[in-house]
Amino acid sequence: MNNDSTALYAFRKYGNTVLRAAFAFCGSYAESEDIVQDVFLSLHTSPKTFNDDEHLKAWLLRVTINKCKNLKRSFRFSRTCSIDELEQSEAIYEISTEGRELRRQISELPRKYAEVIFLHYYEGYSIKEIAGILEKNENTVGSLLKRGREKLRAELEKEDESCGETIIKTL
């Protein structure tokens, strides 16, 4: 595949995955769209060789996470959003009330825990795959996942006994 077809193929196959990952990390649909464009533009403009589709997907997610981190560190990043934007993002993803609450709680965790929880539970990666994506040791990823679940469980129990009961059982 040449550069043009690799970027197009990747966008068609993994565009929604990259968008979901970007949205999960930055919480703004508009910012997520910009990040997706940057990710696929990077793939298009810089020649890359991938072993298989999983390697391509891992690269896309790694670049997405890095671009989200860069956005969070940037001067223009703000933690607020308009009500219109919030309503739009809720309508697009049509997440249940419990799902929204869980996503909010995950986003409030320290980034190192939120990353591994998102990649494991939302994207279905194994600890070994996450270790490769985040360039960390497998034992470190396992520990981060365990501690992240514990922190999330504690927050859910503390916030609301009845609302978090169903979610806590899955953790």
Side-chain angles (χ1 to χ4, degrees):
M1 261 191 268
N2 63 25
N3 261 3
D4 294 339
S5 61
T6 301
L8 185 59
Y9 170 79
F11 181 75
R12 287 182 177 151
K13 186 157 186 175
Y14 299 114
N16 287 333
T17 301
V18 171
L19 181 63
R20 283 193 319 266
F23 183 77
F25 284 105
C26 58
S28 164
Y29 189 73
E31 295 291 352
S32 301
E33 288 179 323
D34 290 344
I35 288 170
V36 169
Q37 286 180 348
D38 288 345
V39 168
F40 287 102
L41 184 62
S42 297
L43 179 61
H44 178 72
T45 58
S46 301
K48 306 272 184 287
T49 305
F50 300 102
N51 299 334
D52 56 15
D53 282 356
E54 282 303 309
H55 184 213
L56 171 62
K57 183 178 177 184
W59 183 87
L60 291 168
L61 288 173
R62 179 74 257 161
V63 172
T64 302
I65 290 168
N66 287 339
K67 289 194 181 288
C68 289
K69 285 179 181 179
N70 292 344
L71 174 69
K72 294 258 185 184
R73 280 183 262 168
S74 72
F75 178 75
R76 70 180 182 96
F77 183 76
S78 171
R79 296 191 187 274
T80 60
C81 67
S82 70
I83 292 175
D84 294 335
E85 184 180 6
L86 182 61
E87 289 172 356
Q88 179 187 8
S89 67
E90 298 293 337
I92 288 170
Y93 290 98
E94 296 178 7
I95 298 174
S96 67
T97 305
E98 284 181 348
R100 266 180 280 183
E101 176 63 21
L102 182 59
R103 188 178 68 204
R104 184 186 65 77
Q105 288 287 350
I106 290 171
S107 70
E108 290 177 359
L109 289 173
R111 175 166 307 194
K112 60 185 178 180
Y113 301 128
E115 286 177 346
V116 294
I117 287 174
F118 174 79
L119 290 172
H120 185 70
Y121 289 105
Y122 287 87
E123 291 300 323
Y125 281 104
S126 68
I127 290 175
K128 183 177 181 176
E129 292 169 327
I130 295 170
I133 292 170
L134 297 179
E135 298 171 350
K136 295 182 187 271
N137 185 299
E138 287 180 43
N139 293 334
T140 302
V141 171
S143 296
L144 290 172
L145 189 57
K146 181 180 179 202
R147 289 182 194 137
R149 281 191 297 241
E150 290 169 355
K151 284 185 175 291
L152 186 59
R153 183 179 293 120
E155 286 300 315
L156 289 170
E157 288 173 346
K158 183 171 60 173
E159 190 165 296
D160 188 357
E161 296 291 330
S162 63
C163 176
E165 211 170 289
T166 309
I167 298 169
I168 292 169
K169 289 178 185 175
T170 63
L171 298 174

